[in-house]
């Protein structure tokens, strides 16, 4: 099985329906471009995108399946949500492991245990706080990521949560993945210095609409 190596840059290849790159074909091209640039793994959403990416790369794929209300637990919220992305070729399942109530009412430990036992892949816990990270590791998560930091209290910070990376790396005995608002080489160095095992970058690489809008916004009005 493909594994996430230390020092890996993971490129999150995702796009919404409003983006011209939306869909499996666009995401497969994005993954190929990321691999050509040196990415060591891909994060992708849904069985169709995962399958399309798996067809063009041998890199490890972190699979997620976003289902339900984005205001709540919707990143691979149930065991059933994980089944299709593993069948499509994901090597590792990422799921929301915040302390919020889950859609099926079951504890995250039960979901992780079933993924391990029946799907045979490791689990990455997307968390928002140190307490959630500690609980996720106790629940059996193999990897803990800062993906949801700032997104569960309505006040996302402007940059990566370096302090949460540092806290998790200090307190936990598993790999810590830094994800969220990482936009520059300096951001990458900061989270690595804080103890990140690997780094996930999304919009700063894969969303030309966002990049264009930010640059256009910097042009002085005449």
């Amino acid at each position: 099985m493909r594994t996430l190596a230390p020092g890996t840059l993971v490129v999150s290849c995702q796009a919404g329906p409003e983006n011209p790159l939306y869909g499996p074909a666009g995401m497969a091209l994005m993954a190929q471009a990321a691999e050509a640039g040196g990415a060591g793994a891909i994060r992708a959403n849904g069985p169709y995108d995962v399958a399309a990416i798996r067809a063009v790369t041998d890199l490890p794929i972190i699979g997620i399946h976003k289902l339900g209300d984005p205001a709540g637990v919707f990143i691979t919220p149930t065991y059933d949500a994980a089944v299709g992305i593993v069948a499509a070729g994901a090597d590792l399942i990422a799921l929301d492991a915040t302390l919020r109530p889950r859609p099926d009412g079951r504890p995250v430990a039960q979901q992780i245990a079933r993924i391990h036992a029946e799907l045979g892949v490791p689990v990455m816990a997307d968390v928002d706080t140190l307490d959630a990270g500690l609980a996720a590791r106790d629940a059996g998560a193999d990897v803990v990521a800062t993906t949801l930091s700032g997104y569960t209290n309505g006040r996302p910070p402007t940059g990566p949560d370096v302090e949460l990376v540092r806290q998790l790396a200090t307190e936990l005995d598993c790999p810590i993945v830094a994800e969220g608002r990482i936009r520059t080489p300096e951001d990458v160095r900061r989270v690595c210095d804080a103890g990140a095992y690997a780094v996930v970058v999304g919009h700063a690489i894969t969303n030309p609409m966002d990049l264009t809008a930010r640059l256009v916004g910097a042009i002085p009005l005449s």
Side-chain angles (χ1 to χ4, degrees):
M1 178 178 292
R2 304 168 189 86
T3 58
L4 189 62
T8 294
L9 178 70
V10 182
V11 175
S12 182
C13 295
Q14 300 181 55
E18 76 287 350
N19 193 316
L21 294 173
Y22 176 70
M27 293 303 96
L29 290 172
M30 187 66 74
Q32 287 179 293
E35 182 174 13
I42 303 294
R43 179 168 166 132
N45 174 43
Y48 296 112
D49 285 5
V50 169
I53 291 168
R54 173 51 67 223
V56 298
T57 182
D58 287 326
L59 291 180
I61 298 175
I62 301 170
I64 65 173
H65 197 170
K66 294 179 177 177
L67 295 170
D69 183 357
V73 172
F74 85 122
I75 298 177
T76 325
T78 63
Y79 167 80
D80 289 340
V83 173
I85 47 179
V86 172
D91 302 288
L92 185 152
I93 296 297
L95 53 82
D96 184 318
T98 61
L99 301 178
R100 298 177 292 179
R102 307 187 68 75
D104 59 9
R106 297 176 180 176
V108 70
Q110 187 176 107
Q111 182 183 3
I112 292 172
R114 193 173 178 193
I115 289 171
H116 284 159
E118 299 183 25
L119 301 181
V121 298
V123 171
M124 184 167 85
D126 291 342
V127 305
D128 54 348
T129 64
L130 175 60
D131 286 345
L134 295 171
R137 180 58 175 157
D138 286 343
D142 304 283
V143 181
V144 173
T146 61
T147 312
L148 293 170
S149 169
Y151 293 108
T152 58
N153 60 11
R155 299 187 303 277
T158 57
D161 195 338
V162 179
E163 183 56 29
L164 181 57
V165 173
R166 182 175 293 108
Q167 291 173 344
L168 291 169
T170 299
E171 297 290 336
L172 296 181
D173 62 348
C174 66
I176 305 303
V177 173
E179 181 173 3
R181 301 170 301 278
I182 297 170
R183 301 185 178 94
T184 68
E186 290 73 22
D187 289 338
V188 171
R189 283 192 287 270
R190 288 170 64 209
V191 295
C192 287
D193 289 345
Y197 175 92
V199 180
V200 178
V201 179
H203 277 197
I205 295 175
T206 61
N207 192 334
M209 292 171 61
D210 180 67
L211 289 167
T212 303
R214 286 195 283 124
L215 294 173
V216 167
I219 296 176
L221 297 176
S222 57

